[in-house]
Every structure is written in C-alpha cells, then in structure tokens.
Amino acid sequence: MRRSRGRDLALGVAAVLANVLLVLGVVALATGRFSQSSGTPPTATTSRPATTAPTTPSPSPSTPTSTTPTAPTISTLLGSGRDATLVVLGDGTGDEAGEWVSAFAEQAGDTHRVTLRGLDPNDPTQYASKEKVGSAGPALTIWNGSRTGATADYPAKRLEFLGPRTPDAVLLSFGRDDTASGITAGLESTYRAVTARWPGAAVGVVLQGQDRDDAIGPVRTATRDWADSHGLPTIDVAAAFSAAGDPNAFVSVVDPPSTNAKGGRLWARTVLTALGGVAP
C-alpha cells in the first residue's frame, strides 16, 4: 500500500511539472508572436507640404487708365493743338467784315484751319455766310453771333440759333448799346442761359475798346466788376488800345461807335493772344 501511494505521488508531481512546462511553452510562444505581430507599430508620419505664410501680391505696374480730356479754358483754347469751336456773342463792333471777329479769323488762320460763320444780314435768326481761312493745323470753327444794336441780354433767349453747335468757349462782347446801370443785369441773364445750355464751355468777357473819347468807359467798368464777381477771365482790349497810343486813333471816323481797320486788327490780336494763339 505505501509503495503504491509513493508511486502515485511521483506520477502526480510529474504531471504537474508537465503542465507547468506546457503553460510556460504556450506563454513563450504567445509572447513571441505578440512581439513579432502585435508589437507597437512604428508611428506613421504623414507627409504634409510645407506651410508658407500667405503673401500679399506685389502691386503690378500701374496700368494706364483712360483720362478725361482736360476742360477747355479761355487762355489755352488756341494753344492746345486740338480742334475747337468758339461762339462769339456781341454787338455791332464785330458783326461786319473788317471788324474784330473777321480780323481774328484771318489771324488765327496762320495756325488753324478756320471756318467763320456769320449771321445772315437779311435774317439774323440764321447763319448764312461761311468763310474759310488757313490750310493747316487744328480746325477752328467760329460762330459769330454778333449783331448791330444788340444789348447784353439779347442772346439769353436766342442761343438755340446763335450757337447751333456745342462750343468749347464763349466770348461775351457787349457795351456799345448798353448803359452802365443796365449791362450787369443783361450779362447775368445771358451768362445763366449760356451755362445752362453749355455747362462745359469756358466763358470769357471782352472789355471793349474805346469809342470816341471813351464814352463807354463806365460801361466797361461795370462789365469788369461783373466778370470779377463771377471769377470770369477778361480780355482787356481797351488796355491794348491805350498801350498803343491815343485810343481815338482806332475809332472809325465814319461810324464813331465802331473801330477802324487798324483798331479791328489790334482788337483781334488782343483776343487771339488771350486765347493762347500766336500773334502775327
């Protein structure tokens, strides 16, 4: 009986040891597999493009922009090299051949291709005559709305036919048939009509040359004061007459309110240079 128990005990111990070895083997095998297949995988790195700070585009070279043509002025009208249209609103000092407007057209013809239009003597509500002067240079069209006996307010309600084309510049030349007390209101009426109809046109005021013994002096003074109050440029023909000698030398003997041919040429040259033209 004791030998049997010892043998059983030995067999039991052997079985235990076998089980322990089996467990250790399983553990070792599992551990090996884990290290091979279940080990911590290498950290994956995602390749990203390098981030750069946004940059503000450098300004491109300035692109030329369309420019609005410069508004005309009295002093640059004939010196700009561009075609131009001029409307003259005046009295009998400039309505006939040989007087200052026609002499002005002749002188401007040295540098411009001039077309002079005058009112029909038989029907002053329309233009009839046409005179061409000059063969080279920019075109200059003159609408001469001067009329004998016209006062400063005469054009105010007649611009539709006195200025049939939109002008670059308008000259107001009144005084022979106005009074010192009345010319301001007349000029104001015409000026408002001109700026309403042709808001882009430059406006200039002629300070008329003397008549016999400068009887119209007070009228010219009133005209100058009115022009100054509006900031309008003036063309002082009387000053040119005085600078050239005795103003009476430029007055017509036959028609004292008018100038003679010499006076007409000096008047024209004074206006020409004031408008940026080259004196002959």
Side-chain angles (χ1 to χ4, degrees), residues 4 26 28 118 122 125 171 180 196 199 218 233 239 270:
S4 184
V26 170
N122 299 316
T125 64
L171 292 182
T270 304

Side-chain angles (χ1 to χ4, degrees), residues 176-250:
R176 290 303 201 265
D177 299 288
D178 289 282
T179 63
S181 60
I183 194 168
T184 296
L187 288 170
E188 186 68 28
S189 178
T190 293
Y191 177 64
R192 289 184 179 182
V194 166
T195 54
R197 184 172 177 81
W198 305 310
V203 179
V205 181
V206 177
L207 302 178
Q208 291 193 343
Q210 294 88 337
D211 56 359
R212 179 69 62 191
D213 298 327
D214 199 21
I216 68 166
V219 178
R220 185 171 54 253
T221 298
T223 301
R224 178 189 289 109
D225 292 344
W226 175 83
D228 289 346
S229 72
H230 288 279
L232 297 176
T234 56
I235 303 173
D236 198 341
V237 177
F241 279 17
S242 295
D246 180 8
N248 283 332
F250 302 108

